[in-house]
Amino acid sequence: MSETLQNPAGQAGGTSASPAAVHGEQIVLDAVTKRYPRQASPAVDNISMTIPAGEIVMLVGPSGCGKTTTMKMINRLIEPTSGRILIGDEDVTDQNPNELRRRIGYVIQGAGLFPHMTVGENVGLVPGLLKWDKGRIRSRVDELLELVNLDPAQYRDRHPRELSGGQQQRVGVARGLASDPPVLLMDEPFGAVDPITRQRLQDELLRLQEELHKTIVFVTHDFDEAVKLGDRIAVLQVGSELVQYDTPEQILAHPANEFVEGFVGEGATLKQLTLTRVGDVELDQAAVVHIGDSPAVAADRARALGREHVIVLDERDRPQRWVSLRELQRPGALDQVRRDREVEVVSLTSTLNDALDVMLTSSHGVVLVTGPRNAYHGVIRVETIMEAMQAQQAAEPEHPATPEAPAGAPS
Ligand code: ADP
Ligand code: MG
């Protein structure tokens, strides 16, 4: 096995507080074709593309166009009929597929967890195959569960059926990351969960990626998801024909043809809301206090800002619950604050569209914004979103995709 493809986790040790900041490796598909037996036309017909190291590349296209086949050839779950695949500088087309797969994380829809194994056993599967010792596997499992926002003590020993769909999907992501692979393949991973959960999982993936810088190939048939998550989007047509491969901004502004235009769809302004991140606009501040603070001081802080509520943070600055001025009249009101499971947050990487969704479903005009490690960062107000929308409309008075004048019309 070559040096460049060695799993960096092999040297990283499993006990560090956060996983090693691995930069992913570039993937090159070079004239890759897959013909299934007894099929008239190839499922993947001569695709060539370069997936830059450390980026999220979205493969988007209609059902049956060859997305899954293309992805599975990267970790050789499917053998290409012809062509070459390079990861880093290495041609992986003739490497041992089992070893290859342990260095490439793979996450599928419905998480694909083994039902008879606990959450911990599922996550620790690949490290076990790589013969890590028990203590190291255990600490790695806990570290990963923390990373995907599942309390290890609470979830480690449960079975998948005792988890919600969104939680199972988080475990699936944790399992994909277990050996700290430079490359992560994700095949419609969030396709089977409800829209709000999907949005949270997307936000979590972006947050993870800020720390991890993996090379991620992500298959979806949802163009909004592609715009939100992708550094680049590859729009595919039947036979994995690469119709357009560019940044979301470029694809939205200049769709290559009618097929892509159809994907981009109507409502360019709403799409712009998908393109703008919460971290891109000016945020406001809430009245912030910590568990154990004096209620009187907290109330003063709220009044100074003209607010009716304070947000209570834990010792790691994670938002726990909104507390009203009235509740603050009770002595010791902040001594023991339990986390409100309903408290709505978006992250800096959430889109304005996500934030608007949360506001519309919670009917609050303000939503908390969290940054790295789910720590409080600020609040976003509905007025801010409206202003951003108006600014965008002002910036593009003429919609670029207006229909052309009918043939023969006087010019
Ligand atoms: P997508 O993931 O974009 O929906 P797939 O890669 O699953 O597309 O499939 C691409 C094409 O290859 C489809 O026409 C599908 O029917 C065909 N195909 C996929 N898997 C097989 C297989 N094992 N045997 C024969 N044909 C297959
Ligand atoms: Mg598929």
Side-chain angles (χ1 to χ4, degrees):
M1 200 188 307
S2 79
E3 283 289 35
T4 48
L5 276 171
Q6 286 288 340
N7 178 2
Q11 299 96 46
T15 50
S16 55
S18 67
V22 174
H23 289 258
E25 298 199 79
Q26 172 179 276
I27 304 170
V28 175
L29 305 183
D30 179 16
V32 175
T33 291
K34 176 64 187 180
R35 286 177 189 280
Y36 289 109
R38 291 175 300 282
Q39 299 288 314
S41 46
V44 171
D45 191 2
N46 196 32
I47 187 173
S48 294
M49 68 187 290
T50 297
I51 295 163
E55 290 200 358
I56 302 182
V57 168
M58 308 295 289
L59 305 184
V60 54
S63 180
C65 74
K67 302 183 294 295
T68 295
T69 303
T70 300
M71 171 167 279
K72 282 183 169 172
M73 286 191 289
I74 296 174
N75 66 355
R76 306 245 324 272
L77 282 169
I78 292 176
E79 293 293 338
T81 310
S82 61
R84 288 190 319 155
I85 295 171
L86 309 174
I87 299 182
D89 301 325
E90 293 295 315
D91 189 339
V92 297
T93 5
D94 47 31
Q95 286 190 356
N96 178 325
N98 290 321
E99 282 176 13
L100 181 65
R101 281 200 283 281
R102 279 165 215 167
R103 298 197 312 271
I104 299 180
Y106 189 52
V107 184
I108 57 173
Q109 185 176 102
L113 303 178
F114 295 109
H116 57 286
M117 291 165 64
T118 64
V119 165
E121 287 165 347
N122 268 286
V123 175
L125 194 69
V126 173
L129 290 172
L130 292 170
K131 302 217 165 30
W132 294 16
D133 70 59
K134 282 216 171 71
R136 184 171 167 213
I137 294 175
R138 194 188 158 85
S139 56
R140 179 66 177 156
V141 165
D142 285 4
E143 174 182 290
L144 284 159
L145 290 177
E146 292 247 5
L147 197 66
V148 298
N149 280 335
L150 291 172
D151 176 13
Q154 205 180 339
Y155 292 101
R156 188 199 300 119
D157 300 317
R158 289 198 193 177
H159 282 83
R161 66 173 177 279
E162 300 169 279
L163 270 55
S164 72
Q167 290 169 337
Q168 290 184 28
Q169 208 61 69
R170 290 191 176 94
V171 176
V173 172
R175 189 175 68 179
L177 291 169
S179 69
D180 211 2
V183 172
L184 191 61
L185 307 179
M186 307 183 79
D187 194 349
E188 308 217 23
F190 309 146
V193 297
D194 63 87
I196 294 285
T197 306
R198 183 178 320 153
Q199 180 217 305
R200 293 223 176 103
L201 291 169
Q202 290 168 343
D203 289 350
E204 283 170 19
L205 180 68
L206 288 171
R207 181 177 56 75
L208 280 177
Q209 175 67 350
E210 280 182 357
E211 291 182 35
L212 302 179
H213 305 289
K214 306 281 181 196
T215 305
I216 300 179
V217 186
F218 189 119
V219 164
T220 183
H221 58 256
D222 176 354
F223 192 75
D224 286 335
E225 183 165 71
V227 169
K228 176 171 177 182
L229 297 181
D231 295 305
R232 277 162 223 265
I233 300 174
V235 185
L236 303 174
Q237 232 168 342
V238 178
S240 259
E241 183 199 338
L242 195 52
V243 188
Q244 190 167 13
Y245 183 36
D246 213 329
T247 61
E249 290 80 359
Q250 282 300 316
I251 290 180
L252 286 173
H254 311 287
N257 61 18
E258 279 180 7
F259 175 78
V260 181
E261 234 166 72
F263 249 122
V264 170
E266 308 270 309
T269 307
L270 274 181
K271 284 293 189 301
Q272 289 294 336
L273 279 187
T274 308
L275 214 48
T276 310
R277 308 279 160 169
V278 168
D280 297 336
V281 299
E282 198 168 326
L283 301 178
D284 289 271
Q285 289 302 318
V288 174
V289 301
H290 282 87
I291 298 173
D293 281 358
S294 144
V297 172
D300 286 346
R301 207 171 289 167
R303 287 197 202 91
L305 286 168
R307 303 289 156 79
E308 299 284 321
H309 291 82
V310 296
I311 182 68
V312 185
L313 311 182
D314 71 1
E315 73 286 355
R316 284 157 74 179
D317 286 345
R318 293 173 300 196
Q320 302 297 301
R321 142 183 317 271
W322 288 102
V323 173
S324 68
L325 281 176
R326 203 165 62 85
E327 290 169 296
L328 287 174
Q329 289 169 1
R330 188 171 62 79
L334 297 176
D335 285 356
Q336 282 186 340
V337 178
R338 285 203 313 125
R339 194 172 80 86
D340 175 3
R341 303 182 121 263
E342 311 282 292
V343 73
E344 298 281 3
V345 297
V346 294
S347 64
L348 288 168
T349 48
S350 297
T351 66
L352 293 190
N353 204 24
D354 295 333
L356 189 59
D357 262 358
V358 171
M359 288 175 189
L360 293 174
T361 51
S362 71
S363 55
H364 293 125
V366 164
V367 178
L368 285 165
V369 179
T370 54
R373 311 227 154 245
N374 298 315
Y376 168 84
H377 193 89
V379 292
I380 182 165
R381 300 180 315 132
V382 68
E383 290 81 2
T384 308
I385 296 181
M386 295 307 159
E387 281 162 21
M389 228 157 125
Q390 281 156 8
Q392 277 162 3
Q393 277 162 345
E396 39 178 308
E398 208 63 53
H399 191 281
T402 42
E404 284 170 24
S411 54

